[in-house]
Amino acid sequence: MQRAIIHLDMDAFFASVEQLDDPRLAGQPVIVGGSLDRGVVCACSYEARAYGVHSAMAMAKAVRLCPSAIVRPVRKGRYQEVSRQIFAIFGEYTDRVEPLSIDEAFLDVSGCERLLGTPPAIARAIIARVKQETGLTVSAGVAQNKFLAKLASSRCKPAGLLVLEPEQVDAYLLSLPIEALWGVGPKTAEQLHRHGIRSVAELRQLERSSLETRLGQLGGVLYELCRGRDEREVERPSEPHSIGAEETFTADLSAAEDLNRELLQLAVKVSGRVRRAGLRGRRLTLKIKYADFSQMSRSRTVAAGLATTDPVFQTAKRLLLDHRQGQRPVRLLGIYLADFVTETSGQQALFADDQASKRSLDAAIDTLQERFGDAGIKRATLLEGSSSANRRKPPR
Ligand SMILES: [Mg+2]
């Protein structure tokens, strides 16, 4: 069966988000990156690219090339927020999504035609949805494999759609310089140039063996790519085995309220990470290390899966109550979630049980954690009695 792959790539992603959030930047050369003296360009708007600015360039050089540029710092949390939005849209069309970076993915839509329409129609629908829901533009390449789909999207930017039908592939490839091929960086290009090979058409004249002699394994890959052949599958990212956090206390803790406060803090951290990964953990493990360094782990299975702070906290608290040996002072506590289900695998209905207010509180915490890191946010319960002061207290 002919495969159908869509490559989607947001246009000048970080810079476009900055222009979206601050309308004064619309139509202006915008550079997102580090400090002027030592930093590099992380992204730049198309207006800045017109001056020769590109990503990975030293900021100092970029600003010299484009003195009118408006420089903005990287706002990772905000880009991740938009990234989640676009991947949620991608996931509505197929679960065969391979993320390549924060703003780029392959979708395998083979066999989806009857349900969703032709691959170009799906790409057009996604482009429209992304624009409508985020206000940003994405470019899409549609082809029979990953190499061709990515090639297509890279050559129709910005806000483009390029469909390479199988019968067009040959003519299209032959017109390209070798630099268009995946894996041909400046070094390989120079090596090929020395042999008088500058175009895909010239590369095609070479035998596989002679390419392999010159370039090793890459030679074999290029032999296939210059013929438009690429058998690699769209691979879903593997899920983590477990997500957890643990804390070693400066001073050993004995009082239940101190231990519970630490558990709540761990629950905030762990549930946040699980939610950001779009997962629910069905097995919670509590790790306890005592003052004498002996340690134990106890697990509980929750069929519906855990992703919000309160159920994670309550389950861990229960395990501690049931399994802590006497009043032995505790040196370390850890909470781990494992046995994951994704939020999209039919578990969504179960969220109805979680109080909506708790979910939205968790969402707010996630946003703050992304912006300020784990240290930036503490629930009110964590602040009462100031847990850091407690930790420095000598053991009782
Ligand atoms: Mg991009």
Side-chain angles (χ1 to χ4, degrees):
M1 187 188 71
Q2 184 76 265
R3 290 190 301 156
I5 312 294
I6 304 176
H7 179 257
L8 290 144
D9 188 5
M10 300 294 285
D11 302 318
F13 183 48
F14 297 176
S16 302
V17 172
E18 297 304 328
Q19 288 176 319
L20 178 76
D21 289 351
D22 183 350
R24 290 170 304 176
L25 303 186
Q28 301 291 324
V30 176
I31 298 177
V32 178
S35 63
L36 278 184
D37 49 343
R38 303 167 62 87
V40 294
V41 175
C42 293
C44 49
S45 68
Y46 285 92
E47 295 83 0
R49 288 178 199 197
Y51 290 83
V53 178
H54 57 76
S55 40
M57 176 181 274
M59 284 295 274
K61 183 174 178 191
V63 174
R64 247 191 339 266
L65 287 173
C66 181
S68 59
I70 301 162
V71 177
R72 288 288 157 102
V74 177
R75 292 188 298 151
K76 198 168 158 228
R78 173 68 178 128
Y79 310 143
Q80 278 168 340
E81 188 176 87
V82 181
S83 178
R84 273 200 301 277
Q85 277 181 290
I86 60 166
F87 276 91
I89 296 170
F90 300 166
E92 284 179 35
Y93 291 85
T94 173
D95 58 358
R96 287 169 287 175
V97 176
E98 178 180 337
L100 288 182
S101 71
I102 190 168
D103 73 320
E104 203 184 327
F106 286 117
L107 275 59
D108 184 341
V109 295
S110 315
C112 295
E113 198 143 331
R114 277 185 55 198
L115 212 57
L116 298 172
T118 63
I122 296 172
R124 270 193 294 274
I126 293 175
I127 290 169
R129 282 283 306 280
V130 168
K131 178 73 188 171
Q132 186 191 342
E133 288 181 31
T134 69
L136 298 167
T137 61
V138 64
S139 296
V142 182
Q144 59 204 340
N145 61 43
K146 285 174 29 170
F147 159 61
L148 292 170
K150 189 170 160 73
L151 179 70
S153 76
S154 75
R155 299 183 69 90
C156 67
K157 286 182 147 297
L161 167 65
L162 179 56
V163 181
L164 282 180
E165 299 289 356
E167 61 275 11
Q168 303 172 322
V169 168
D170 246 358
Y172 187 75
L173 280 180
L174 289 172
S175 71
L176 298 178
I178 49 169
E179 285 84 352
L181 297 179
W182 213 342
V184 179
K187 239 178 88 187
T188 308
E190 199 201 304
Q191 221 173 330
L192 289 165
H193 290 169
R194 275 204 305 270
H195 293 96
I197 299 158
R198 294 183 174 273
S199 68
V200 170
E202 286 163 340
L203 192 65
R204 276 227 200 153
Q205 304 300 316
L206 297 184
E207 303 284 338
R208 177 192 284 272
S209 57
S210 102
L211 264 172
E212 282 173 343
T213 311
R214 280 170 221 199
L215 299 171
Q217 216 179 354
L218 179 63
V221 173
L222 292 183
Y223 182 84
E224 299 293 332
L225 292 185
C226 72
R227 286 163 176 78
R229 297 198 290 245
D230 176 15
E231 296 300 319
R232 290 167 308 158
E233 297 285 334
V234 170
E235 285 175 23
R236 278 178 279 195
S238 57
E239 280 166 13
H241 182 65
S242 80
I243 293 177
E246 50 182 56
E247 177 80 34
T248 302
F249 313 124
T250 317
D252 301 330
L253 300 179
S254 297
E257 72 257 29
D258 290 341
L259 292 167
N260 286 340
R261 191 160 40 235
E262 296 298 337
L263 274 187
L264 179 55
Q265 195 156 353
L266 290 168
V268 168
K269 243 187 233 181
V270 172
S271 62
R273 284 180 200 159
V274 167
R275 281 193 301 279
R276 285 197 290 274
L279 301 171
R280 298 167 70 80
R282 283 185 294 208
R283 194 174 69 250
L284 183 145
T285 301
L286 174 72
K287 178 173 159 187
I288 309 171
K289 193 187 268 184
Y290 294 107
D292 64 0
F293 285 84
S294 67
Q295 68 174 56
M296 58 181 288
S297 293
R298 289 293 180 273
S299 298
R300 174 156 299 177
T301 299
V302 180
L306 299 168
T308 45
T309 304
D310 201 50
V312 169
F313 171 57
Q314 297 300 339
T315 308
K317 196 165 90 172
R318 188 75 235 170
L319 281 167
L320 182 67
L321 199 64
D322 291 350
H323 298 288
R324 183 178 168 207
Q325 295 160 349
Q327 295 300 303
R328 291 176 68 185
V330 174
R331 177 184 166 75
L332 170 152
L333 285 175
I335 296 178
Y336 290 85
L337 282 173
D339 190 11
F340 294 115
V341 285
T342 57
E343 287 214 28
T344 46
S345 60
Q347 295 287 326
Q348 271 155 334
L350 293 163
F351 270 130
D353 307 339
D354 290 324
Q355 296 100 320
S357 65
K358 279 199 180 129
R359 276 211 87 198
S360 65
L361 176 60
D362 279 329
I365 289 176
D366 288 349
T367 309
L368 289 169
Q369 274 177 332
E370 267 163 21
R371 214 158 284 169
F372 304 111
D374 283 335
I377 175 75
K378 302 228 185 316
R379 285 188 168 217
T381 341
L382 294 175
L383 291 173
E384 292 163 13
S386 164
S387 81
S388 59
N390 267 346
R391 264 184 247 168
R392 274 178 221 110
K393 252 195 287 190
R396 293 166 204 183

